[in-house]
Every structure is written in C-alpha cells, then in structure tokens.
Amino acid sequence: MGLLTVRAAAERLGVGYSTLKHWIYEGRIRTTQTPGGHHRIAEAEVERLGSKTGAPVPTTSRVEPRGLIIALSGRNRLHGHVDEVRTDGLLGLVRIRVGDQTLTAVITADAIRELKLRRGDEAMAIIKSTEVMIAKQAPPFRSSDLADRPRRRRG
C-alpha cells in the first residue's frame, strides 16, 4: 500500500481538499509528512476513513460525477457571463457580468476547477444569505442648494 497526496485522498473519499486538510489539522486522520512538510496519507488510512463515513472508496483516483441538478431551492439566481477568473492557493476569485452590473465571488480553487470556469462562459450566481444590505444614494448636488442654506455671521 502506497502513500497518497491530500488531493488524491480527498478525491477517493469524495470530499473537498480543504475538508480533508481540516480533518488532518483536527487529528481525525493520520498522515506522514515529507521533508518539505507536505502531508501524505496511507491508502489503508483512506480505507479506514471511508468505512467510518460509509462512503464507498474507489480504487482509482477519479470520482465520477453524480448527475445533473434539476432543481434548487435558492430563488436569487443571477444569470451572466464570466468576466474574470483568478486562483491563488486554496481560493479563487470569479467576476460575473450580470446586465450592467458585476458580481464578485470568492470560492475555492477546487470549485473553479470542477466547474471548469473560463472567461466568457455562461454562469449563474445563486445567492443565499441571511444578511442583505440596502443603500440609497444622495440626490445629485446642485449649486442652488447653497442659496437655501442659512448664512453664518462672522464676527
């Protein structure tokens, strides 16, 4: 039995890379470290963890897609086109043009790779939030507004 990278082990378990990293830091999974400090996970440990979670552990590193989403409870769906995609480490930035507005989202780099997001792609932002901020702009400034103000006396 060999050693797997964290990414390969996460694919076998059907969980995200960042989830597996959290499990490692929490001590829920045993690893060995390379001289460079990278975690490696024994295949037996992946099998042990897979049997605990009840998830089937495929012998290949490829996880097959489970199917299309045909319905979603989120109602705030904004359709647009991808303007920009950037990744840096675990996170990535995605800008979607929705009409004359731009929506910016920070998501995991894994999600960007899974979705195969590229500039120009059609995409949908689904917003589910407990907080919404509302703003109102002040009316444009007019010079006649100065005439309405009371004048201060100097002296």
Side-chain angles (χ1 to χ4, degrees):
M1 294 236 163
L3 296 176
L4 301 171
T5 65
V6 175
R7 190 164 310 283
E11 285 180 8
R12 278 213 188 163
L13 289 166
V15 299
Y17 172 84
S18 58
T19 299
L20 193 55
K21 287 293 274 192
H22 283 290
W23 291 353
I24 291 168
Y25 295 141
E26 291 170 355
R28 292 172 55 184
I29 187 166
R30 293 181 291 264
T31 66
T32 58
Q33 285 188 299
T34 66
H38 299 283
H39 291 275
R40 296 293 182 257
I41 304 165
E43 288 182 353
E45 183 69 0
V46 172
E47 289 172 14
R48 178 192 69 82
L49 193 61
S51 66
K52 270 177 101 173
T53 62
V57 181
T59 55
T60 65
S61 63
R62 174 94 175 120
V63 176
E64 294 300 317
R66 292 188 175 91
L68 297 174
I69 296 172
I70 58 169
L72 186 68
S73 64
R75 296 291 178 244
N76 299 320
R77 301 175 197 172
L78 304 173
H79 297 267
H81 290 87
V82 177
D83 266 356
E84 180 182 0
V85 178
R86 283 190 285 164
T87 57
D88 184 19
L90 293 175
L91 296 177
L93 178 133
V94 179
R95 289 188 202 277
I96 299 176
R97 168 104 18 225
V98 179
D100 63 345
Q101 302 289 314
T102 300
L103 181 135
T104 303
V106 175
I107 62 175
T108 64
D110 280 347
I112 289 173
R113 281 188 291 275
E114 261 182 53
L115 292 168
K116 297 178 181 152
L117 285 176
R118 300 284 180 260
R119 185 176 183 177
D121 287 352
E122 284 188 31
M124 182 185 341
I126 303 164
I127 301 170
K128 181 104 177 167
S129 177
T130 58
E131 296 180 33
V132 175
M133 294 182 182
I134 306 292
K136 184 177 178 183
Q137 292 182 331
F141 177 77
R142 298 178 314 229
S143 59
S144 63
D145 291 341
L146 291 177
D148 297 338
R149 289 187 358 192
R151 297 182 189 245
R152 290 182 14 191
R153 286 180 29 190
R154 292 187 184 188

PDB file of all heavy atoms in Angstrom, residues 80-88 91-98 102-113 115-125:
ATOM      1  N   GLY A  80     -25.415  35.303 -15.922  1.00  0.00           N
ATOM      2  CA  GLY A  80     -24.500  36.241 -16.539  1.00  0.00           C
ATOM      3  C   GLY A  80     -23.370  35.532 -17.255  1.00  0.00           C
ATOM      4  O   GLY A  80     -23.444  34.328 -17.526  1.00  0.00           O
ATOM      5  N   HIS A  81     -22.321  36.286 -17.549  1.00  0.00           N
ATOM      6  CA  HIS A  81     -21.136  35.766 -18.223  1.00  0.00           C
ATOM      7  C   HIS A  81     -19.906  36.032 -17.367  1.00  0.00           C
ATOM      8  O   HIS A  81     -19.784  37.095 -16.752  1.00  0.00           O
ATOM      9  CB  HIS A  81     -20.959  36.429 -19.590  1.00  0.00           C
ATOM     10  CG  HIS A  81     -21.995  36.006 -20.569  1.00  0.00           C
ATOM     11  ND1 HIS A  81     -23.217  36.617 -20.691  1.00  0.00           N
ATOM     12  CD2 HIS A  81     -21.988  34.996 -21.472  1.00  0.00           C
ATOM     13  CE1 HIS A  81     -23.922  36.019 -21.613  1.00  0.00           C
ATOM     14  NE2 HIS A  81     -23.209  35.029 -22.119  1.00  0.00           N
ATOM     15  N   VAL A  82     -18.998  35.072 -17.346  1.00  0.00           N
ATOM     16  CA  VAL A  82     -17.780  35.187 -16.552  1.00  0.00           C
ATOM     17  C   VAL A  82     -16.856  36.214 -17.197  1.00  0.00           C
ATOM     18  O   VAL A  82     -16.504  36.088 -18.367  1.00  0.00           O
ATOM     19  CB  VAL A  82     -17.072  33.816 -16.424  1.00  0.00           C
ATOM     20  CG1 VAL A  82     -15.771  33.957 -15.658  1.00  0.00           C
ATOM     21  CG2 VAL A  82     -17.994  32.795 -15.766  1.00  0.00           C
ATOM     22  N   ASP A  83     -16.489  37.243 -16.430  1.00  0.00           N
ATOM     23  CA  ASP A  83     -15.567  38.284 -16.895  1.00  0.00           C
ATOM     24  C   ASP A  83     -14.127  37.973 -16.517  1.00  0.00           C
ATOM     25  O   ASP A  83     -13.200  38.311 -17.237  1.00  0.00           O
ATOM     26  CB  ASP A  83     -15.923  39.641 -16.277  1.00  0.00           C
ATOM     27  CG  ASP A  83     -16.825  40.469 -17.166  1.00  0.00           C
ATOM     28  OD1 ASP A  83     -17.119  40.032 -18.287  1.00  0.00           O
ATOM     29  OD2 ASP A  83     -17.226  41.564 -16.730  1.00  0.00           O
ATOM     30  N   GLU A  84     -13.947  37.349 -15.337  1.00  0.00           N
ATOM     31  CA  GLU A  84     -12.588  37.134 -14.831  1.00  0.00           C
ATOM     32  C   GLU A  84     -12.568  35.927 -13.907  1.00  0.00           C
ATOM     33  O   GLU A  84     -13.513  35.711 -13.149  1.00  0.00           O
ATOM     34  CB  GLU A  84     -12.138  38.384 -14.063  1.00  0.00           C
ATOM     35  CG  GLU A  84     -10.752  38.308 -13.483  1.00  0.00           C
ATOM     36  CD  GLU A  84     -10.381  39.558 -12.684  1.00  0.00           C
ATOM     37  OE1 GLU A  84     -11.204  40.492 -12.573  1.00  0.00           O
ATOM     38  OE2 GLU A  84      -9.257  39.571 -12.167  1.00  0.00           O
ATOM     39  N   VAL A  85     -11.497  35.154 -13.969  1.00  0.00           N
ATOM     40  CA  VAL A  85     -11.275  34.019 -13.073  1.00  0.00           C
ATOM     41  C   VAL A  85      -9.821  34.065 -12.643  1.00  0.00           C
ATOM     42  O   VAL A  85      -8.927  34.090 -13.478  1.00  0.00           O
ATOM     43  CB  VAL A  85     -11.561  32.662 -13.767  1.00  0.00           C
ATOM     44  CG1 VAL A  85     -11.284  31.508 -12.825  1.00  0.00           C
ATOM     45  CG2 VAL A  85     -12.986  32.599 -14.274  1.00  0.00           C
ATOM     46  N   ARG A  86      -9.583  34.106 -11.335  1.00  0.00           N
ATOM     47  CA  ARG A  86      -8.215  34.079 -10.800  1.00  0.00           C
ATOM     48  C   ARG A  86      -8.169  33.097  -9.634  1.00  0.00           C
ATOM     49  O   ARG A  86      -9.096  33.044  -8.836  1.00  0.00           O
ATOM     50  CB  ARG A  86      -7.798  35.455 -10.270  1.00  0.00           C
ATOM     51  CG  ARG A  86      -7.439  36.435 -11.346  1.00  0.00           C
ATOM     52  CD  ARG A  86      -6.807  37.662 -10.758  1.00  0.00           C
ATOM     53  NE  ARG A  86      -7.845  38.484 -10.139  1.00  0.00           N
ATOM     54  CZ  ARG A  86      -7.623  39.459  -9.279  1.00  0.00           C
ATOM     55  NH1 ARG A  86      -6.409  39.736  -8.898  1.00  0.00           N
ATOM     56  NH2 ARG A  86      -8.611  40.161  -8.788  1.00  0.00           N
ATOM     57  N   THR A  87      -7.103  32.329  -9.537  1.00  0.00           N
ATOM     58  CA  THR A  87      -6.917  31.446  -8.390  1.00  0.00           C
ATOM     59  C   THR A  87      -5.576  31.755  -7.733  1.00  0.00           C
ATOM     60  O   THR A  87      -4.626  32.160  -8.394  1.00  0.00           O
ATOM     61  CB  THR A  87      -6.952  29.956  -8.786  1.00  0.00           C
ATOM     62  OG1 THR A  87      -5.955  29.725  -9.767  1.00  0.00           O
ATOM     63  CG2 THR A  87      -8.306  29.552  -9.319  1.00  0.00           C
ATOM     64  N   ASP A  88      -5.543  31.560  -6.421  1.00  0.00           N
ATOM     65  CA  ASP A  88      -4.324  31.744  -5.652  1.00  0.00           C
ATOM     66  C   ASP A  88      -4.407  30.814  -4.449  1.00  0.00           C
ATOM     67  O   ASP A  88      -5.154  31.078  -3.512  1.00  0.00           O
ATOM     68  CB  ASP A  88      -4.176  33.204  -5.212  1.00  0.00           C
ATOM     69  CG  ASP A  88      -2.860  33.466  -4.491  1.00  0.00           C
ATOM     70  OD1 ASP A  88      -1.934  32.647  -4.642  1.00  0.00           O
ATOM     71  OD2 ASP A  88      -2.765  34.481  -3.780  1.00  0.00           O
ATOM     72  N   LEU A  91      -8.016  29.434  -2.692  1.00  0.00           N
ATOM     73  CA  LEU A  91      -9.163  30.247  -3.065  1.00  0.00           C
ATOM     74  C   LEU A  91      -9.038  30.821  -4.465  1.00  0.00           C
ATOM     75  O   LEU A  91      -7.952  30.880  -5.027  1.00  0.00           O
ATOM     76  CB  LEU A  91      -9.334  31.400  -2.069  1.00  0.00           C
ATOM     77  CG  LEU A  91      -9.662  31.000  -0.637  1.00  0.00           C
ATOM     78  CD1 LEU A  91      -9.726  32.224   0.257  1.00  0.00           C
ATOM     79  CD2 LEU A  91     -10.962  30.232  -0.578  1.00  0.00           C
ATOM     80  N   GLY A  92     -10.163  31.248  -5.000  1.00  0.00           N
ATOM     81  CA  GLY A  92     -10.190  31.879  -6.298  1.00  0.00           C
ATOM     82  C   GLY A  92     -11.228  32.975  -6.328  1.00  0.00           C
ATOM     83  O   GLY A  92     -12.150  33.015  -5.505  1.00  0.00           O
ATOM     84  N   LEU A  93     -11.077  33.890  -7.278  1.00  0.00           N
ATOM     85  CA  LEU A  93     -11.999  34.998  -7.446  1.00  0.00           C
ATOM     86  C   LEU A  93     -12.682  34.841  -8.798  1.00  0.00           C
ATOM     87  O   LEU A  93     -12.025  34.560  -9.798  1.00  0.00           O
ATOM     88  CB  LEU A  93     -11.225  36.321  -7.402  1.00  0.00           C
ATOM     89  CG  LEU A  93     -12.056  37.573  -7.617  1.00  0.00           C
ATOM     90  CD1 LEU A  93     -11.696  38.603  -6.572  1.00  0.00           C
ATOM     91  CD2 LEU A  93     -11.816  38.127  -9.011  1.00  0.00           C
ATOM     92  N   VAL A  94     -13.998  35.017  -8.802  1.00  0.00           N
ATOM     93  CA  VAL A  94     -14.772  34.919 -10.031  1.00  0.00           C
ATOM     94  C   VAL A  94     -15.620  36.183 -10.142  1.00  0.00           C
ATOM     95  O   VAL A  94     -16.325  36.539  -9.196  1.00  0.00           O
ATOM     96  CB  VAL A  94     -15.697  33.675 -10.030  1.00  0.00           C
ATOM     97  CG1 VAL A  94     -16.509  33.608 -11.306  1.00  0.00           C
ATOM     98  CG2 VAL A  94     -14.894  32.409  -9.840  1.00  0.00           C
ATOM     99  N   ARG A  95     -15.521  36.858 -11.294  1.00  0.00           N
ATOM    100  CA  ARG A  95     -16.361  38.027 -11.559  1.00  0.00           C
ATOM    101  C   ARG A  95     -17.325  37.655 -12.674  1.00  0.00           C
ATOM    102  O   ARG A  95     -16.907  37.180 -13.724  1.00  0.00           O
ATOM    103  CB  ARG A  95     -15.529  39.218 -11.999  1.00  0.00           C
ATOM    104  CG  ARG A  95     -14.705  39.809 -10.900  1.00  0.00           C
ATOM    105  CD  ARG A  95     -14.060  41.119 -11.361  1.00  0.00           C
ATOM    106  NE  ARG A  95     -12.900  41.456 -10.589  1.00  0.00           N
ATOM    107  CZ  ARG A  95     -12.917  42.065  -9.418  1.00  0.00           C
ATOM    108  NH1 ARG A  95     -14.059  42.408  -8.881  1.00  0.00           N
ATOM    109  NH2 ARG A  95     -11.795  42.337  -8.779  1.00  0.00           N
ATOM    110  N   ILE A  96     -18.616  37.881 -12.403  1.00  0.00           N
ATOM    111  CA  ILE A  96     -19.660  37.576 -13.370  1.00  0.00           C
ATOM    112  C   ILE A  96     -20.374  38.873 -13.736  1.00  0.00           C
ATOM    113  O   ILE A  96     -20.795  39.627 -12.854  1.00  0.00           O
ATOM    114  CB  ILE A  96     -20.670  36.548 -12.806  1.00  0.00           C
ATOM    115  CG1 ILE A  96     -19.953  35.237 -12.481  1.00  0.00           C
ATOM    116  CG2 ILE A  96     -21.816  36.313 -13.779  1.00  0.00           C
ATOM    117  CD1 ILE A  96     -20.832  34.198 -11.843  1.00  0.00           C
ATOM    118  N   ARG A  97     -20.502  39.118 -15.018  1.00  0.00           N
ATOM    119  CA  ARG A  97     -21.234  40.294 -15.514  1.00  0.00           C
ATOM    120  C   ARG A  97     -22.696  39.909 -15.620  1.00  0.00           C
ATOM    121  O   ARG A  97     -23.049  38.969 -16.323  1.00  0.00           O
ATOM    122  CB  ARG A  97     -20.680  40.722 -16.865  1.00  0.00           C
ATOM    123  CG  ARG A  97     -21.512  41.723 -17.578  1.00  0.00           C
ATOM    124  CD  ARG A  97     -21.104  43.153 -17.616  1.00  0.00           C
ATOM    125  NE  ARG A  97     -19.752  43.503 -17.309  1.00  0.00           N
ATOM    126  CZ  ARG A  97     -19.444  44.514 -16.503  1.00  0.00           C
ATOM    127  NH1 ARG A  97     -20.401  45.217 -15.925  1.00  0.00           N
ATOM    128  NH2 ARG A  97     -18.209  44.824 -16.262  1.00  0.00           N
ATOM    129  N   VAL A  98     -23.544  40.633 -14.871  1.00  0.00           N
ATOM    130  CA  VAL A  98     -24.990  40.416 -14.881  1.00  0.00           C
ATOM    131  C   VAL A  98     -25.611  41.733 -15.348  1.00  0.00           C
ATOM    132  O   VAL A  98     -25.665  42.691 -14.586  1.00  0.00           O
ATOM    133  CB  VAL A  98     -25.520  40.020 -13.488  1.00  0.00           C
ATOM    134  CG1 VAL A  98     -27.019  39.814 -13.519  1.00  0.00           C
ATOM    135  CG2 VAL A  98     -24.816  38.777 -12.969  1.00  0.00           C
ATOM    136  N   THR A 102     -21.552  44.016 -12.048  1.00  0.00           N
ATOM    137  CA  THR A 102     -20.570  42.950 -11.881  1.00  0.00           C
ATOM    138  C   THR A 102     -20.718  42.358 -10.492  1.00  0.00           C
ATOM    139  O   THR A 102     -20.762  43.090  -9.503  1.00  0.00           O
ATOM    140  CB  THR A 102     -19.133  43.490 -12.053  1.00  0.00           C
ATOM    141  OG1 THR A 102     -19.011  44.039 -13.364  1.00  0.00           O
ATOM    142  CG2 THR A 102     -18.117  42.383 -11.881  1.00  0.00           C
ATOM    143  N   LEU A 103     -20.809  41.039 -10.430  1.00  0.00           N
ATOM    144  CA  LEU A 103     -20.880  40.322  -9.164  1.00  0.00           C
ATOM    145  C   LEU A 103     -19.528  39.653  -8.947  1.00  0.00           C
ATOM    146  O   LEU A 103     -19.004  39.001  -9.854  1.00  0.00           O
ATOM    147  CB  LEU A 103     -21.992  39.275  -9.229  1.00  0.00           C
ATOM    148  CG  LEU A 103     -22.190  38.463  -7.971  1.00  0.00           C
ATOM    149  CD1 LEU A 103     -23.673  38.363  -7.675  1.00  0.00           C
ATOM    150  CD2 LEU A 103     -21.579  37.097  -8.106  1.00  0.00           C
ATOM    151  N   THR A 104     -18.948  39.812  -7.763  1.00  0.00           N
ATOM    152  CA  THR A 104     -17.666  39.203  -7.443  1.00  0.00           C
ATOM    153  C   THR A 104     -17.877  38.166  -6.349  1.00  0.00           C
ATOM    154  O   THR A 104     -18.519  38.450  -5.338  1.00  0.00           O
ATOM    155  CB  THR A 104     -16.657  40.262  -6.953  1.00  0.00           C
ATOM    156  OG1 THR A 104     -16.518  41.263  -7.961  1.00  0.00           O
ATOM    157  CG2 THR A 104     -15.308  39.646  -6.674  1.00  0.00           C
ATOM    158  N   ALA A 105     -17.339  36.970  -6.559  1.00  0.00           N
ATOM    159  CA  ALA A 105     -17.456  35.901  -5.565  1.00  0.00           C
ATOM    160  C   ALA A 105     -16.075  35.310  -5.306  1.00  0.00           C
ATOM    161  O   ALA A 105     -15.271  35.171  -6.225  1.00  0.00           O
ATOM    162  CB  ALA A 105     -18.401  34.811  -6.061  1.00  0.00           C
ATOM    163  N   VAL A 106     -15.819  34.966  -4.052  1.00  0.00           N
ATOM    164  CA  VAL A 106     -14.610  34.246  -3.682  1.00  0.00           C
ATOM    165  C   VAL A 106     -15.046  32.828  -3.345  1.00  0.00           C
ATOM    166  O   VAL A 106     -15.860  32.616  -2.445  1.00  0.00           O
ATOM    167  CB  VAL A 106     -13.907  34.905  -2.469  1.00  0.00           C
ATOM    168  CG1 VAL A 106     -12.724  34.079  -2.027  1.00  0.00           C
ATOM    169  CG2 VAL A 106     -13.476  36.321  -2.821  1.00  0.00           C
ATOM    170  N   ILE A 107     -14.532  31.865  -4.118  1.00  0.00           N
ATOM    171  CA  ILE A 107     -14.884  30.460  -3.925  1.00  0.00           C
ATOM    172  C   ILE A 107     -13.589  29.649  -3.886  1.00  0.00           C
ATOM    173  O   ILE A 107     -12.513  30.177  -4.142  1.00  0.00           O
ATOM    174  CB  ILE A 107     -15.837  29.945  -5.024  1.00  0.00           C
ATOM    175  CG1 ILE A 107     -15.185  30.007  -6.409  1.00  0.00           C
ATOM    176  CG2 ILE A 107     -17.143  30.741  -5.018  1.00  0.00           C
ATOM    177  CD1 ILE A 107     -16.040  29.408  -7.522  1.00  0.00           C
ATOM    178  N   THR A 108     -13.686  28.367  -3.587  1.00  0.00           N
ATOM    179  CA  THR A 108     -12.480  27.546  -3.532  1.00  0.00           C
ATOM    180  C   THR A 108     -11.930  27.319  -4.936  1.00  0.00           C
ATOM    181  O   THR A 108     -12.679  27.273  -5.913  1.00  0.00           O
ATOM    182  CB  THR A 108     -12.754  26.176  -2.869  1.00  0.00           C
ATOM    183  OG1 THR A 108     -13.677  25.452  -3.676  1.00  0.00           O
ATOM    184  CG2 THR A 108     -13.287  26.341  -1.449  1.00  0.00           C
ATOM    185  N   ALA A 109     -10.631  27.172  -5.009  1.00  0.00           N
ATOM    186  CA  ALA A 109      -9.979  26.873  -6.287  1.00  0.00           C
ATOM    187  C   ALA A 109     -10.460  25.519  -6.802  1.00  0.00           C
ATOM    188  O   ALA A 109     -10.590  25.324  -8.020  1.00  0.00           O
ATOM    189  CB  ALA A 109      -8.460  26.895  -6.121  1.00  0.00           C
ATOM    190  N   ASP A 110     -10.748  24.576  -5.892  1.00  0.00           N
ATOM    191  CA  ASP A 110     -11.303  23.276  -6.295  1.00  0.00           C
ATOM    192  C   ASP A 110     -12.620  23.463  -7.054  1.00  0.00           C
ATOM    193  O   ASP A 110     -12.858  22.811  -8.068  1.00  0.00           O
ATOM    194  CB  ASP A 110     -11.566  22.386  -5.076  1.00  0.00           C
ATOM    195  CG  ASP A 110     -10.315  21.710  -4.552  1.00  0.00           C
ATOM    196  OD1 ASP A 110      -9.293  21.723  -5.262  1.00  0.00           O
ATOM    197  OD2 ASP A 110     -10.365  21.176  -3.433  1.00  0.00           O
ATOM    198  N   ALA A 111     -13.485  24.336  -6.562  1.00  0.00           N
ATOM    199  CA  ALA A 111     -14.772  24.564  -7.212  1.00  0.00           C
ATOM    200  C   ALA A 111     -14.578  25.162  -8.603  1.00  0.00           C
ATOM    201  O   ALA A 111     -15.273  24.789  -9.546  1.00  0.00           O
ATOM    202  CB  ALA A 111     -15.644  25.484  -6.357  1.00  0.00           C
ATOM    203  N   ILE A 112     -13.614  26.058  -8.739  1.00  0.00           N
ATOM    204  CA  ILE A 112     -13.335  26.656 -10.053  1.00  0.00           C
ATOM    205  C   ILE A 112     -12.886  25.579 -11.032  1.00  0.00           C
ATOM    206  O   ILE A 112     -13.341  25.537 -12.180  1.00  0.00           O
ATOM    207  CB  ILE A 112     -12.284  27.778  -9.927  1.00  0.00           C
ATOM    208  CG1 ILE A 112     -12.898  28.978  -9.211  1.00  0.00           C
ATOM    209  CG2 ILE A 112     -11.750  28.183 -11.301  1.00  0.00           C
ATOM    210  CD1 ILE A 112     -11.931  30.081  -8.881  1.00  0.00           C
ATOM    211  N   ARG A 113     -12.018  24.663 -10.558  1.00  0.00           N
ATOM    212  CA  ARG A 113     -11.556  23.573 -11.431  1.00  0.00           C
ATOM    213  C   ARG A 113     -12.695  22.621 -11.773  1.00  0.00           C
ATOM    214  O   ARG A 113     -12.840  22.202 -12.915  1.00  0.00           O
ATOM    215  CB  ARG A 113     -10.397  22.828 -10.774  1.00  0.00           C
ATOM    216  CG  ARG A 113      -9.069  23.548 -10.891  1.00  0.00           C
ATOM    217  CD  ARG A 113      -7.920  22.691 -10.403  1.00  0.00           C
ATOM    218  NE  ARG A 113      -7.961  22.479  -8.967  1.00  0.00           N
ATOM    219  CZ  ARG A 113      -7.457  23.330  -8.070  1.00  0.00           C
ATOM    220  NH1 ARG A 113      -6.874  24.439  -8.457  1.00  0.00           N
ATOM    221  NH2 ARG A 113      -7.521  23.072  -6.783  1.00  0.00           N
ATOM    222  N   LEU A 115     -15.913  23.229 -11.906  1.00  0.00           N
ATOM    223  CA  LEU A 115     -16.853  23.877 -12.816  1.00  0.00           C
ATOM    224  C   LEU A 115     -16.221  24.216 -14.163  1.00  0.00           C
ATOM    225  O   LEU A 115     -16.925  24.586 -15.097  1.00  0.00           O
ATOM    226  CB  LEU A 115     -17.394  25.161 -12.173  1.00  0.00           C
ATOM    227  CG  LEU A 115     -18.290  24.968 -10.959  1.00  0.00           C
ATOM    228  CD1 LEU A 115     -18.526  26.295 -10.252  1.00  0.00           C
ATOM    229  CD2 LEU A 115     -19.615  24.336 -11.361  1.00  0.00           C
ATOM    230  N   LYS A 116     -14.898  24.100 -14.224  1.00  0.00           N
ATOM    231  CA  LYS A 116     -14.144  24.441 -15.440  1.00  0.00           C
ATOM    232  C   LYS A 116     -14.495  25.854 -15.907  1.00  0.00           C
ATOM    233  O   LYS A 116     -14.771  26.094 -17.078  1.00  0.00           O
ATOM    234  CB  LYS A 116     -14.406  23.418 -16.541  1.00  0.00           C
ATOM    235  CG  LYS A 116     -13.933  22.028 -16.166  1.00  0.00           C
ATOM    236  CD  LYS A 116     -14.249  21.023 -17.239  1.00  0.00           C
ATOM    237  CE  LYS A 116     -13.768  19.661 -16.755  1.00  0.00           C
ATOM    238  NZ  LYS A 116     -14.525  18.574 -17.308  1.00  0.00           N
ATOM    239  N   LEU A 117     -14.491  26.791 -14.945  1.00  0.00           N
ATOM    240  CA  LEU A 117     -14.860  28.165 -15.253  1.00  0.00           C
ATOM    241  C   LEU A 117     -13.777  28.849 -16.071  1.00  0.00           C
ATOM    242  O   LEU A 117     -12.600  28.794 -15.736  1.00  0.00           O
ATOM    243  CB  LEU A 117     -15.083  28.965 -13.964  1.00  0.00           C
ATOM    244  CG  LEU A 117     -16.369  28.691 -13.211  1.00  0.00           C
ATOM    245  CD1 LEU A 117     -16.406  29.473 -11.912  1.00  0.00           C
ATOM    246  CD2 LEU A 117     -17.573  29.033 -14.065  1.00  0.00           C
ATOM    247  N   ARG A 118     -14.196  29.491 -17.137  1.00  0.00           N
ATOM    248  CA  ARG A 118     -13.305  30.240 -18.017  1.00  0.00           C
ATOM    249  C   ARG A 118     -13.975  31.553 -18.379  1.00  0.00           C
ATOM    250  O   ARG A 118     -15.209  31.647 -18.401  1.00  0.00           O
ATOM    251  CB  ARG A 118     -13.012  29.456 -19.309  1.00  0.00           C
ATOM    252  CG  ARG A 118     -12.362  28.109 -19.111  1.00  0.00           C
ATOM    253  CD  ARG A 118     -10.886  28.252 -18.777  1.00  0.00           C
ATOM    254  NE  ARG A 118     -10.265  26.951 -18.594  1.00  0.00           N
ATOM    255  CZ  ARG A 118     -10.020  26.394 -17.417  1.00  0.00           C
ATOM    256  NH1 ARG A 118     -10.341  27.013 -16.312  1.00  0.00           N
ATOM    257  NH2 ARG A 118      -9.436  25.222 -17.341  1.00  0.00           N
ATOM    258  N   ARG A 119     -13.182  32.538 -18.697  1.00  0.00           N
ATOM    259  CA  ARG A 119     -13.707  33.824 -19.127  1.00  0.00           C
ATOM    260  C   ARG A 119     -14.598  33.623 -20.362  1.00  0.00           C
ATOM    261  O   ARG A 119     -14.245  32.881 -21.276  1.00  0.00           O
ATOM    262  CB  ARG A 119     -12.557  34.764 -19.461  1.00  0.00           C
ATOM    263  CG  ARG A 119     -13.021  36.132 -19.804  1.00  0.00           C
ATOM    264  CD  ARG A 119     -11.877  37.049 -20.038  1.00  0.00           C
ATOM    265  NE  ARG A 119     -12.443  38.356 -20.280  1.00  0.00           N
ATOM    266  CZ  ARG A 119     -11.760  39.422 -20.465  1.00  0.00           C
ATOM    267  NH1 ARG A 119     -10.454  39.382 -20.449  1.00  0.00           N
ATOM    268  NH2 ARG A 119     -12.350  40.570 -20.681  1.00  0.00           N
ATOM    269  N   GLY A 120     -15.756  34.269 -20.349  1.00  0.00           N
ATOM    270  CA  GLY A 120     -16.695  34.158 -21.454  1.00  0.00           C
ATOM    271  C   GLY A 120     -17.761  33.095 -21.256  1.00  0.00           C
ATOM    272  O   GLY A 120     -18.755  33.086 -21.972  1.00  0.00           O
ATOM    273  N   ASP A 121     -17.566  32.180 -20.292  1.00  0.00           N
ATOM    274  CA  ASP A 121     -18.566  31.144 -20.030  1.00  0.00           C
ATOM    275  C   ASP A 121     -19.854  31.767 -19.498  1.00  0.00           C
ATOM    276  O   ASP A 121     -19.822  32.782 -18.805  1.00  0.00           O
ATOM    277  CB  ASP A 121     -18.069  30.146 -18.973  1.00  0.00           C
ATOM    278  CG  ASP A 121     -16.999  29.215 -19.486  1.00  0.00           C
ATOM    279  OD1 ASP A 121     -16.740  29.221 -20.703  1.00  0.00           O
ATOM    280  OD2 ASP A 121     -16.403  28.503 -18.655  1.00  0.00           O
ATOM    281  N   GLU A 122     -20.984  31.130 -19.808  1.00  0.00           N
ATOM    282  CA  GLU A 122     -22.228  31.484 -19.136  1.00  0.00           C
ATOM    283  C   GLU A 122     -22.184  30.878 -17.749  1.00  0.00           C
ATOM    284  O   GLU A 122     -21.712  29.754 -17.567  1.00  0.00           O
ATOM    285  CB  GLU A 122     -23.425  30.946 -19.902  1.00  0.00           C
ATOM    286  CG  GLU A 122     -23.755  31.729 -21.140  1.00  0.00           C
ATOM    287  CD  GLU A 122     -25.066  31.277 -21.762  1.00  0.00           C
ATOM    288  OE1 GLU A 122     -25.973  30.840 -21.030  1.00  0.00           O
ATOM    289  OE2 GLU A 122     -25.158  31.363 -22.983  1.00  0.00           O
ATOM    290  N   ALA A 123     -22.677  31.601 -16.764  1.00  0.00           N
ATOM    291  CA  ALA A 123     -22.683  31.093 -15.392  1.00  0.00           C
ATOM    292  C   ALA A 123     -23.873  31.688 -14.649  1.00  0.00           C
ATOM    293  O   ALA A 123     -24.491  32.654 -15.100  1.00  0.00           O
ATOM    294  CB  ALA A 123     -21.382  31.454 -14.688  1.00  0.00           C
ATOM    295  N   MET A 124     -24.178  31.100 -13.514  1.00  0.00           N
ATOM    296  CA  MET A 124     -25.267  31.563 -12.686  1.00  0.00           C
ATOM    297  C   MET A 124     -24.756  31.728 -11.264  1.00  0.00           C
ATOM    298  O   MET A 124     -24.113  30.830 -10.730  1.00  0.00           O
ATOM    299  CB  MET A 124     -26.408  30.536 -12.702  1.00  0.00           C
ATOM    300  CG  MET A 124     -27.607  30.958 -11.900  1.00  0.00           C
ATOM    301  SD  MET A 124     -28.936  29.718 -11.766  1.00  0.00           S
ATOM    302  CE  MET A 124     -28.662  28.594 -13.076  1.00  0.00           C
ATOM    303  N   ALA A 125     -25.025  32.874 -10.668  1.00  0.00           N
ATOM    304  CA  ALA A 125     -24.718  33.088  -9.250  1.00  0.00           C
ATOM    305  C   ALA A 125     -26.007  32.845  -8.482  1.00  0.00           C
ATOM    306  O   ALA A 125     -27.051  33.399  -8.820  1.00  0.00           O
ATOM    307  CB  ALA A 125     -24.217  34.506  -9.020  1.00  0.00           C
TER     308      ALA A 125
END
